[in-house]
Amino acid sequence: MKTKLFTLILTFVYIAIALIPNYVLATEMSSGIVAVLDKVKVSNFTDLKEAIENKNVTKIEITENITLTETIVIDKTVNIEGNGKTITASFKKAFEIYAGKVKFNNITIVNSGKQGRCIDIRDGDVELILTGVTLKTTGSSAYNQTLNVGGNFTGPAKIKLENTKVLTNHPGYGIVTFNPVDLVINNSEITGYGALYMKGIDESKGSAGSKVTINNSTLIGINNSNEPNKDKPQNGFGTIVFEDHNIEMNINNSKLIAKGEGDAIQVIIGEHISLGESNKPNRVTISENTVITAQEAISAMKNSKATVILNKGVTSNIEIPAKNLASGMMAKKENGVYVVTEIKVDYVVSQGVETLNKETVKETLNSSLKADKEVFKKAEEAIRNGQEVSVELKVEELKQENVKKEEKQKMEQLVSKNEKIHQYFDISVFVIANKNEIGKLEKLTDKVKLSMKLPEDLILEGRKFYVLKLHDGKVQRLDAVLNGTNLEFETDEFSLYALSYEDVPGVEQEVEKDNTPKTGFVDVSKFVWIVVFVLMIGVFYEKRKTF
């Protein structure tokens, strides 16, 4: 009975507690603010400072604009909800963060102080997440560093920006890293002398080992120093600036903008004059519809130490150097801008020889050309030097005396008793640059289907046709199908071929009146037909015939 009574009383106590408003459970802090469990609302500097210093408070809600009178130091995990309010400071640092997972949401922080910093990370044991935040320095100093990763630590500090703006007046930098970072920038905007400045060792560990990912964002570098910054290194000017090595950066679907005022020339990728040689150079990969708007150069130096690679879909208002193109890519000019696109193979078909699976052939030729790295490298270089490059499939009918004896013997060993070899011919695939052969493809990555028109007087009732192939010393009989007057077969290797046929016993055959070999491929006494697969340069080069 007593146990039941105790349980009943305890139940009523729980219900009563649940019905009591939160503020009844709150404790009043020394400054007069009210802490409801682990969450507080603040409206002034004193309240904010005490809430940050209270280890039990992990959620802070800003209800009014706040002016700081000294730096706020954060060394714990905390979520600061800004409600669209503004925090202002007029000294070097608004916030310093030494530890914890710190989130700022929907807030503006403005610092007008000399060498102003809105947020300064001081230790690698920090994870900073900014969502819907605006950070802005407005002081006149050239050393404004709106979001700074300072101190001296191995790190990396983890930083994520989502729908955030990191801004500065023209003098100063958006994000500066003195130590390694794992930085992710999504749907955000960064501006400054250097929008993103990866510093070297300077009473710090330097930025080596950092990983940076930028998605759907805008980075703007503005040089108003009146220094040309062309073909030579400058101290910190560039939309993205490197002062250290071994940094991996991936930029996707973003805008990279370099602006210069007066005589100043700004570049997209800048490198500090102190940056020396390294066996681990920086690597910047730019992909997925990123738009580059620069003045005269993407990189500050002709012999840049960074590896800058532009992938398919990137556009630039200035010419893209060949060294910056990803393998298999080319830059073509369209509507006044350069577009990075794949080097692709298109083709045209001459009368008498037709490819049946055209889209498959196009993809196969692309992959085959790229698979032969030596030949493809020559093709790339030729295209980027403005040469017209084509892949030509040549079908050449051979006279009996032009076929080597040992080759004919190997072919004849495969034919059956009633089978006759009617004609030998060679199929080769050449890569041509400005009418000069630069390579040969002997094997494709996949089979292509060819259809060859035969003369009607060669097609008799009951006659079966075959295609024999001699490649690398081995003879193979290929499946061939007669479709009307077209003989169709598949192949992925190019060398010596033979057309053979077999007459079915018991079927009366017409006697061939003309002993001159005729296959329908070519007239051996007059010319050799060439099927041209044309490499795309700007637009596809097409010369198709109707047949």
Side-chain angles (χ1 to χ4, degrees):
M1 184 68 179
K2 289 183 180 180
T3 301
K4 290 183 179 179
L5 180 61
F6 176 77
T7 302
L8 183 62
I9 293 172
L10 188 60
T11 301
F12 277 113
V13 170
Y14 281 138
I15 293 174
I17 291 175
L19 295 176
I20 297 174
N22 280 341
Y23 65 83
V24 175
L25 297 177
T27 58
E28 186 172 4
M29 301 170 67
S30 61
S31 62
I33 64 172
V34 176
V36 181
L37 300 179
D38 61 347
K39 180 178 180 180
V40 299
K41 295 182 177 182
V42 301
S43 60
N44 56 64
F45 167 71
T46 303
D47 291 354
L48 176 61
K49 184 174 185 294
E50 187 166 346
I52 292 292
E53 292 174 349
N54 188 323
K55 299 298 182 182
N56 296 321
V57 175
T58 59
K59 299 176 183 177
I60 300 173
E61 185 176 345
I62 309 294
T63 60
E64 300 290 341
N65 295 334
I66 295 175
T67 299
L68 305 184
T69 57
E70 62 182 63
T71 299
I72 297 286
V73 176
I74 301 176
D75 59 359
K76 66 176 184 180
T77 294
V78 65
N79 187 344
I80 300 175
E81 177 60 54
N83 291 315
K85 304 302 180 181
T86 299
I87 293 177
T88 57
S90 56
F91 36 87
K92 187 171 182 178
K93 301 177 184 180
F95 290 89
E96 276 189 332
I97 305 176
Y98 284 86
K101 184 175 183 179
V102 180
K103 296 181 180 180
F104 286 88
N105 305 295
N106 190 22
I107 193 169
T108 297
I109 303 173
V110 179
N111 193 342
S112 61
K114 187 176 181 180
Q115 300 182 18
R117 301 175 184 181
C118 292
I119 297 177
D120 190 355
I121 294 174
R122 306 300 296 176
D123 197 282
D125 189 26
V126 170
E127 181 176 356
L128 175 64
I129 301 174
L130 305 179
T131 304
V133 172
T134 296
L135 305 180
K136 186 174 183 180
T137 51
T138 60
S140 59
S141 171
Y143 295 99
N144 290 334
Q145 299 166 10
T146 306
L147 174 55
N148 185 70
V149 182
N152 186 348
F153 57 83
T154 302
K158 295 181 179 180
I159 305 171
K160 183 177 182 180
L161 279 60
E162 191 78 48
N163 295 309
T164 288
K165 294 182 179 181
V166 181
L167 314 173
T168 183
N169 279 358
H170 292 182
Y173 302 90
I175 300 176
V176 182
T177 65
F178 285 81
N179 298 284
V181 294
D182 185 349
L183 173 60
V184 177
I185 301 173
N186 294 328
N187 306 297
S188 296
E189 179 182 342
I190 319 294
T191 68
Y193 265 172
L196 176 57
Y197 192 173
M198 313 297 291
K199 286 280 291 181
I201 297 174
D202 185 4
E203 298 183 359
S204 63
K205 290 295 189 295
S207 301
S210 292
K211 294 183 179 180
V212 181
T213 302
I214 302 171
N215 300 311
N216 304 300
S217 296
T218 299
L219 274 65
I220 304 174
I222 305 171
N223 182 359
N224 65 347
S225 68
N226 291 321
E227 294 186 42
N229 198 28
K230 182 182 178 183
D231 297 335
K232 63 178 183 179
Q234 294 290 330
N235 290 341
F237 297 118
T239 303
I240 298 169
V241 182
F242 292 111
E243 195 181 306
D244 211 341
H245 294 287
N246 191 25
I247 298 168
E248 187 78 21
M249 187 175 296
N250 291 285
I251 304 172
N252 306 302
N253 197 30
S254 295
K255 294 180 180 179
L256 303 178
I257 301 171
K259 297 180 179 180
E261 297 181 355
D263 294 330
I265 300 293
Q266 182 74 316
V267 296
I268 298 296
I269 306 295
E271 293 175 324
H272 195 277
I273 193 171
S274 65
L275 188 65
E277 300 294 336
S278 172
N279 59 357
K280 294 182 178 180
N282 300 314
R283 184 176 179 86
V284 181
T285 304
I286 304 175
S287 309
E288 295 181 17
N289 303 315
T290 293
V291 178
I292 294 174
T293 305
Q295 289 175 286
E296 296 186 20
I298 292 176
S299 178
M301 293 183 290
K302 290 180 179 178
N303 298 317
S304 173
K305 299 176 181 65
T307 301
V308 182
I309 299 299
L310 277 60
N311 281 322
K312 181 181 178 181
V314 175
T315 62
S316 171
N317 67 315
I318 60 173
E319 189 172 358
I320 300 172
K323 68 177 183 178
N324 296 132
L325 292 168
S327 177
M329 298 294 150
M330 58 179 286
K332 62 178 182 178
K333 197 169 185 179
E334 294 182 351
N335 302 319
V337 298
Y338 294 88
V339 181
V340 179
T341 185
E342 288 183 272
I343 293 176
K344 283 193 174 181
V345 178
D346 199 12
Y347 61 95
V348 294
V349 182
S350 297
Q351 187 176 358
V353 181
E354 178 185 0
T355 56
L356 297 183
N357 46 349
K358 293 179 172 57
E359 288 303 315
T360 302
V361 169
K362 183 188 296 185
E363 294 304 317
T364 298
L365 290 172
N366 276 308
S367 59
S368 300
L369 183 58
K370 292 177 181 177
D372 192 322
K373 294 182 180 179
E374 183 177 346
V375 177
F376 186 68
K377 185 177 181 180
K378 293 178 181 178
E380 270 189 314
E381 184 178 355
I383 289 173
R384 292 171 181 176
N385 288 332
Q387 298 182 43
E388 182 177 302
V389 177
S390 62
V391 179
E392 299 182 359
L393 187 149
K394 180 182 290 187
V395 182
E396 181 178 4
E397 187 171 323
L398 302 174
K399 293 181 179 180
Q400 292 277 347
E401 59 266 28
N402 292 335
V403 181
K404 295 178 181 180
K405 182 179 179 180
E406 57 270 24
E407 291 178 334
K408 285 194 288 186
Q409 289 176 343
K410 287 185 177 181
M411 287 282 201
E412 290 168 355
Q413 288 175 2
L414 190 65
V415 299
S416 63
K417 180 179 179 181
N418 298 321
E419 186 179 348
K420 298 178 182 179
I421 293 179
H422 180 72
Q423 182 64 56
Y424 291 98
F425 54 96
D426 179 86
I427 302 180
S428 298
V429 179
F430 299 98
V431 181
I432 309 296
N434 280 8
K435 300 182 180 179
N436 297 313
E437 181 185 333
I438 61 174
K440 186 176 180 180
L441 300 179
E442 295 187 352
K443 185 173 177 61
L444 300 183
T445 55
D446 201 356
K447 292 182 178 181
V448 294
K449 183 180 286 186
L450 299 178
S451 172
M452 293 169 284
K453 187 175 180 63
L454 303 180
E456 292 185 5
D457 59 1
L458 187 63
I459 304 172
L460 302 178
E461 184 179 355
R463 176 169 287 179
K464 293 183 178 180
F465 291 93
Y466 306 101
V467 174
L468 309 178
K469 177 183 68 177
L470 175 60
H471 188 81
D472 286 343
K474 297 180 181 179
V475 181
Q476 181 181 0
R477 185 190 301 274
L478 304 181
D479 293 332
V481 177
L482 187 63
N483 186 1
T485 60
N486 291 336
L487 186 67
E488 300 173 355
F489 69 96
E490 291 185 345
T491 186
D492 59 355
E493 296 174 328
F494 300 94
S495 50
L496 181 65
Y497 285 77
L499 172 66
S500 67
Y501 64 82
E502 180 182 13
D503 292 323
V504 178
V507 178
E508 185 177 350
Q509 309 293 336
E510 296 183 11
V511 179
E512 296 184 35
K513 297 179 181 180
D514 188 353
N515 293 326
T516 303
K518 293 180 180 179
T519 68
F521 308 131
V522 297
D523 183 338
V524 70
S525 63
K526 292 184 179 179
F527 58 86
V528 175
W529 284 9
I530 297 177
V531 182
V532 182
F533 302 79
V534 180
L535 228 58
M536 182 178 73
I537 305 174
V539 295
F540 288 136
Y541 171 70
E542 299 180 341
K543 289 185 179 178
R544 290 189 173 89
K545 293 184 178 181
T546 303
F547 53 91

